[in-house]
PDB file of all heavy atoms in Angstrom:
ATOM      1  N   LYS A  14       8.736   5.885  -9.573  1.00 97.00           N
ATOM      2  CA  LYS A  14       9.629   4.725  -9.535  1.00 97.00           C
ATOM      3  C   LYS A  14       9.688   4.055  -8.162  1.00 97.00           C
ATOM      4  O   LYS A  14      10.522   3.184  -7.927  1.00 97.00           O
ATOM      5  CB  LYS A  14      11.033   5.133  -9.971  1.00 97.00           C
ATOM      6  CG  LYS A  14      11.105   5.545 -11.430  1.00 97.00           C
ATOM      7  CD  LYS A  14      12.525   5.854 -11.837  1.00 97.00           C
ATOM      8  CE  LYS A  14      12.587   6.235 -13.306  1.00 97.00           C
ATOM      9  NZ  LYS A  14      13.960   6.486 -13.739  1.00 97.00           N
ATOM     10  N   ALA A  15       8.799   4.454  -7.261  1.00 98.00           N
ATOM     11  CA  ALA A  15       8.782   3.849  -5.925  1.00 98.00           C
ATOM     12  C   ALA A  15       8.605   2.341  -6.036  1.00 98.00           C
ATOM     13  O   ALA A  15       7.854   1.844  -6.871  1.00 98.00           O
ATOM     14  CB  ALA A  15       7.672   4.453  -5.073  1.00 98.00           C
ATOM     15  N   THR A  16       9.320   1.625  -5.184  1.00 98.00           N
ATOM     16  CA  THR A  16       9.269   0.170  -5.211  1.00 98.00           C
ATOM     17  C   THR A  16       9.660  -0.367  -3.835  1.00 98.00           C
ATOM     18  O   THR A  16       9.819   0.382  -2.887  1.00 98.00           O
ATOM     19  CB  THR A  16      10.185  -0.388  -6.326  1.00 98.00           C
ATOM     20  OG1 THR A  16       9.943  -1.788  -6.456  1.00 98.00           O
ATOM     21  CG2 THR A  16      11.653  -0.126  -6.045  1.00 98.00           C
ATOM     22  N   THR A  17       9.827  -1.658  -3.771  1.00 96.00           N
ATOM     23  CA  THR A  17      10.296  -2.312  -2.558  1.00 96.00           C
ATOM     24  C   THR A  17      11.614  -3.026  -2.843  1.00 96.00           C
ATOM     25  O   THR A  17      11.766  -3.634  -3.915  1.00 96.00           O
ATOM     26  CB  THR A  17       9.258  -3.313  -2.009  1.00 96.00           C
ATOM     27  OG1 THR A  17       9.854  -4.072  -0.942  1.00 96.00           O
ATOM     28  CG2 THR A  17       8.749  -4.271  -3.055  1.00 96.00           C
ATOM     29  N   ALA A  18      12.512  -2.966  -1.915  1.00 93.00           N
ATOM     30  CA  ALA A  18      13.812  -3.632  -2.073  1.00 93.00           C
ATOM     31  C   ALA A  18      13.659  -5.147  -2.095  1.00 93.00           C
ATOM     32  O   ALA A  18      14.551  -5.856  -2.545  1.00 93.00           O
ATOM     33  CB  ALA A  18      14.746  -3.222  -0.944  1.00 93.00           C
ATOM     34  N   GLU A  19      12.529  -5.633  -1.650  1.00 90.00           N
ATOM     35  CA  GLU A  19      12.300  -7.076  -1.664  1.00 90.00           C
ATOM     36  C   GLU A  19      12.271  -7.605  -3.100  1.00 90.00           C
ATOM     37  O   GLU A  19      12.753  -8.699  -3.369  1.00 90.00           O
ATOM     38  CB  GLU A  19      10.992  -7.406  -0.946  1.00 90.00           C
ATOM     39  CG  GLU A  19      10.818  -8.867  -0.666  1.00 90.00           C
ATOM     40  CD  GLU A  19       9.704  -9.155   0.307  1.00 90.00           C
ATOM     41  OE1 GLU A  19       8.915  -8.252   0.626  1.00 90.00           O
ATOM     42  OE2 GLU A  19       9.629 -10.302   0.764  1.00 90.00           O
ATOM     43  N   THR A  20      11.715  -6.816  -4.028  1.00 94.00           N
ATOM     44  CA  THR A  20      11.662  -7.246  -5.428  1.00 94.00           C
ATOM     45  C   THR A  20      12.663  -6.500  -6.308  1.00 94.00           C
ATOM     46  O   THR A  20      12.998  -6.966  -7.386  1.00 94.00           O
ATOM     47  CB  THR A  20      10.249  -7.050  -6.018  1.00 94.00           C
ATOM     48  OG1 THR A  20       9.886  -5.670  -5.906  1.00 94.00           O
ATOM     49  CG2 THR A  20       9.242  -7.923  -5.308  1.00 94.00           C
ATOM     50  N   SER A  21      13.113  -5.335  -5.842  1.00 94.00           N
ATOM     51  CA  SER A  21      14.078  -4.519  -6.605  1.00 94.00           C
ATOM     52  C   SER A  21      15.190  -4.058  -5.668  1.00 94.00           C
ATOM     53  O   SER A  21      15.263  -2.893  -5.286  1.00 94.00           O
ATOM     54  CB  SER A  21      13.366  -3.315  -7.218  1.00 94.00           C
ATOM     55  OG  SER A  21      12.309  -3.703  -8.031  1.00 94.00           O
ATOM     56  N   PRO A  22      16.069  -4.978  -5.265  1.00 88.00           N
ATOM     57  CA  PRO A  22      17.075  -4.654  -4.248  1.00 88.00           C
ATOM     58  C   PRO A  22      18.060  -3.543  -4.625  1.00 88.00           C
ATOM     59  O   PRO A  22      18.612  -2.895  -3.749  1.00 88.00           O
ATOM     60  CB  PRO A  22      17.802  -5.972  -4.002  1.00 88.00           C
ATOM     61  CG  PRO A  22      17.445  -6.855  -5.128  1.00 88.00           C
ATOM     62  CD  PRO A  22      16.157  -6.363  -5.704  1.00 88.00           C
ATOM     63  N   GLU A  23      18.247  -3.287  -5.902  1.00 91.00           N
ATOM     64  CA  GLU A  23      19.204  -2.262  -6.324  1.00 91.00           C
ATOM     65  C   GLU A  23      18.553  -0.901  -6.581  1.00 91.00           C
ATOM     66  O   GLU A  23      19.234   0.067  -6.906  1.00 91.00           O
ATOM     67  CB  GLU A  23      19.933  -2.730  -7.595  1.00 91.00           C
ATOM     68  CG  GLU A  23      20.671  -4.054  -7.441  1.00 91.00           C
ATOM     69  CD  GLU A  23      21.688  -4.054  -6.312  1.00 91.00           C
ATOM     70  OE1 GLU A  23      22.415  -3.058  -6.160  1.00 91.00           O
ATOM     71  OE2 GLU A  23      21.740  -5.060  -5.575  1.00 91.00           O
ATOM     72  N   SER A  24      17.250  -0.804  -6.401  1.00 94.00           N
ATOM     73  CA  SER A  24      16.531   0.439  -6.690  1.00 94.00           C
ATOM     74  C   SER A  24      16.941   1.569  -5.747  1.00 94.00           C
ATOM     75  O   SER A  24      17.152   1.359  -4.557  1.00 94.00           O
ATOM     76  CB  SER A  24      15.022   0.220  -6.571  1.00 94.00           C
ATOM     77  OG  SER A  24      14.337   1.447  -6.735  1.00 94.00           O
ATOM     78  N   LYS A  25      17.019   2.765  -6.303  1.00 95.00           N
ATOM     79  CA  LYS A  25      17.283   3.962  -5.499  1.00 95.00           C
ATOM     80  C   LYS A  25      15.986   4.542  -4.961  1.00 95.00           C
ATOM     81  O   LYS A  25      15.995   5.554  -4.264  1.00 95.00           O
ATOM     82  CB  LYS A  25      18.015   4.997  -6.344  1.00 95.00           C
ATOM     83  CG  LYS A  25      19.405   4.574  -6.728  1.00 95.00           C
ATOM     84  CD  LYS A  25      20.093   5.610  -7.571  1.00 95.00           C
ATOM     85  CE  LYS A  25      21.513   5.148  -7.828  1.00 95.00           C
ATOM     86  NZ  LYS A  25      21.976   5.333  -9.162  1.00 95.00           N
ATOM     87  N   PHE A  26      14.861   3.910  -5.292  1.00 97.00           N
ATOM     88  CA  PHE A  26      13.551   4.420  -4.906  1.00 97.00           C
ATOM     89  C   PHE A  26      12.780   3.409  -4.053  1.00 97.00           C
ATOM     90  O   PHE A  26      11.560   3.346  -4.121  1.00 97.00           O
ATOM     91  CB  PHE A  26      12.748   4.798  -6.151  1.00 97.00           C
ATOM     92  CG  PHE A  26      13.466   5.772  -7.030  1.00 97.00           C
ATOM     93  CD1 PHE A  26      14.149   5.339  -8.156  1.00 97.00           C
ATOM     94  CD2 PHE A  26      13.499   7.121  -6.706  1.00 97.00           C
ATOM     95  CE1 PHE A  26      14.828   6.239  -8.962  1.00 97.00           C
ATOM     96  CE2 PHE A  26      14.183   8.024  -7.500  1.00 97.00           C
ATOM     97  CZ  PHE A  26      14.844   7.590  -8.624  1.00 97.00           C
ATOM     98  N   ALA A  27      13.498   2.630  -3.261  1.00 97.00           N
ATOM     99  CA  ALA A  27      12.859   1.614  -2.413  1.00 97.00           C
ATOM    100  C   ALA A  27      12.249   2.286  -1.181  1.00 97.00           C
ATOM    101  O   ALA A  27      12.945   2.597  -0.225  1.00 97.00           O
ATOM    102  CB  ALA A  27      13.871   0.554  -2.002  1.00 97.00           C
ATOM    103  N   VAL A  28      10.943   2.505  -1.240  1.00 97.00           N
ATOM    104  CA  VAL A  28      10.255   3.092  -0.085  1.00 97.00           C
ATOM    105  C   VAL A  28      10.062   2.041   1.006  1.00 97.00           C
ATOM    106  O   VAL A  28       9.813   2.378   2.157  1.00 97.00           O
ATOM    107  CB  VAL A  28       8.915   3.760  -0.472  1.00 97.00           C
ATOM    108  CG1 VAL A  28       9.144   4.929  -1.407  1.00 97.00           C
ATOM    109  CG2 VAL A  28       7.939   2.776  -1.072  1.00 97.00           C
TER     110      VAL A  28
END
Side-chain angles (χ1 to χ4, degrees):
K14 294 184 179 182
T16 189
T17 171
E19 192 167 11
T20 58
S21 303
E23 302 303 318
S24 175
K25 293 179 176 137
F26 305 99
V28 296

